[in-house]
Amino acid sequence: MQISTESIEKQIPYYLTQEAKENLAKALARFPRQIDYYINRYQNEILQGDGWNSVEVINFENGKRKLVRAVLLSNSCDVDPKNKRELPVKLTFAPIIKLNRYLQLLKSAGLDEQQVEAKAAAIKEQNITTLFYLPKGANLGEDFVALLGDVHSIPYQAFDALKDNQKIFTLSQVGFYLFIFKLSVHFCRLHEEVDRS
């Protein structure tokens, strides 16, 4: 699915003030190149779209555990520790890797230089539905991508117990909005072209 300013603007959340809606529309008009993806706020909160430096995941193939950088997919309200729950909360993450590493994987899979450059351009324009592009900024020293097809869940208590875990970014309003739009495209396509009647 092609992501465009128009397709995104049609989905602007109702709960924003008129001023916030106008600011979001102005920021989206600069999409994809001139967007401020990150803000320097909410350092002590766990929010959907936050990046973390040490999230523990389990490798399905060999059962080994490792720490990875990751972005939180779970809804902010659902993981807020202040909200009472009958059952323990789990956090759902997608690993993030350096864009250059992802492009190297494409080369090793047999894509030529021109194909890799075209893929890199599509990633930066948010046109690859399985990836969310995270440009250099905040505490990211270079461009990254979130692997939306590689999802992991961990108990909140295990996440909270990770001593070296630190937030590496919080998405801005427009960065968060793009992230949510990408998640909805990746996970919830109403137009899947399958007749289920």
Side-chain angles (χ1 to χ4, degrees):
M1 174 180 185
Q2 185 78 13
I3 294 179
S4 66
T5 303
E6 294 78 29
S7 63
I8 297 169
E9 283 184 355
K10 288 178 185 173
Q11 307 299 322
I12 290 180
Y14 69 89
Y15 58 82
L16 295 178
T17 64
Q18 187 59 36
E19 181 182 6
K21 287 179 184 178
E22 289 169 7
N23 289 338
L24 181 55
K26 285 178 191 172
L28 289 170
R30 297 189 302 269
F31 174 78
R33 298 284 183 217
Q34 299 174 336
I35 290 178
D36 295 324
Y37 274 76
Y38 313 106
I39 56 173
N40 189 20
R41 298 176 63 195
Y42 307 111
Q43 293 303 310
N44 299 316
E45 295 181 46
I46 300 173
L47 301 174
Q48 186 175 38
D50 283 348
W52 296 87
N53 71 338
S54 297
V55 176
E56 189 172 36
V57 297
I58 299 172
N59 184 314
F60 180 80
E61 285 79 19
N62 59 25
K64 291 185 180 176
R65 296 171 182 253
K66 66 178 182 176
L67 296 176
V68 300
R69 291 182 189 105
V71 62
L72 180 64
L73 304 180
S74 298
N75 184 286
S76 303
C77 296
D78 291 343
V79 300
D80 187 338
K82 292 178 257 175
N83 291 338
K84 274 208 164 230
R85 298 284 186 275
E86 290 76 27
L87 299 173
V89 172
K90 289 195 175 188
L91 305 179
T92 303
F93 288 92
I96 64 172
I97 64 171
K98 294 176 181 179
L99 175 59
N100 283 336
R101 176 163 154 53
Y102 184 79
L103 298 178
Q104 287 298 323
L105 291 170
L106 294 178
K107 286 178 187 173
S108 65
L111 273 67
D112 65 37
E113 195 65 39
Q114 189 175 2
Q115 290 171 312
V116 170
E117 286 178 18
K119 188 71 84 169
I123 290 168
K124 290 179 179 183
E125 292 175 0
Q126 300 289 10
N127 285 328
I128 307 296
T129 59
T130 58
L131 303 172
F132 182 69
Y133 171 63
L134 294 158
K136 176 181 176 179
N139 290 316
L140 296 176
E142 59 187 279
D143 294 350
F144 277 73
V145 289
L147 308 174
L148 301 180
D150 186 13
V151 176
H152 302 264
S153 291
I154 64 170
Y156 179 89
Q157 291 156 325
F159 172 80
D160 196 43
L162 293 168
K163 299 202 182 332
D164 295 329
N165 199 11
Q166 295 178 339
K167 188 184 285 197
I168 50 179
F169 62 80
T170 297
L171 293 174
S172 67
Q173 185 71 49
V174 71
F176 173 70
Y177 194 60
L178 284 171
F179 180 68
I180 295 302
F181 190 77
K182 284 294 287 277
L183 289 181
S184 69
V185 168
H186 179 66
F187 289 109
C188 307
R189 289 187 210 176
L190 291 174
H191 305 290
E192 66 174 1
E193 297 181 18
V194 175
D195 183 357
R196 295 174 182 261
S197 57

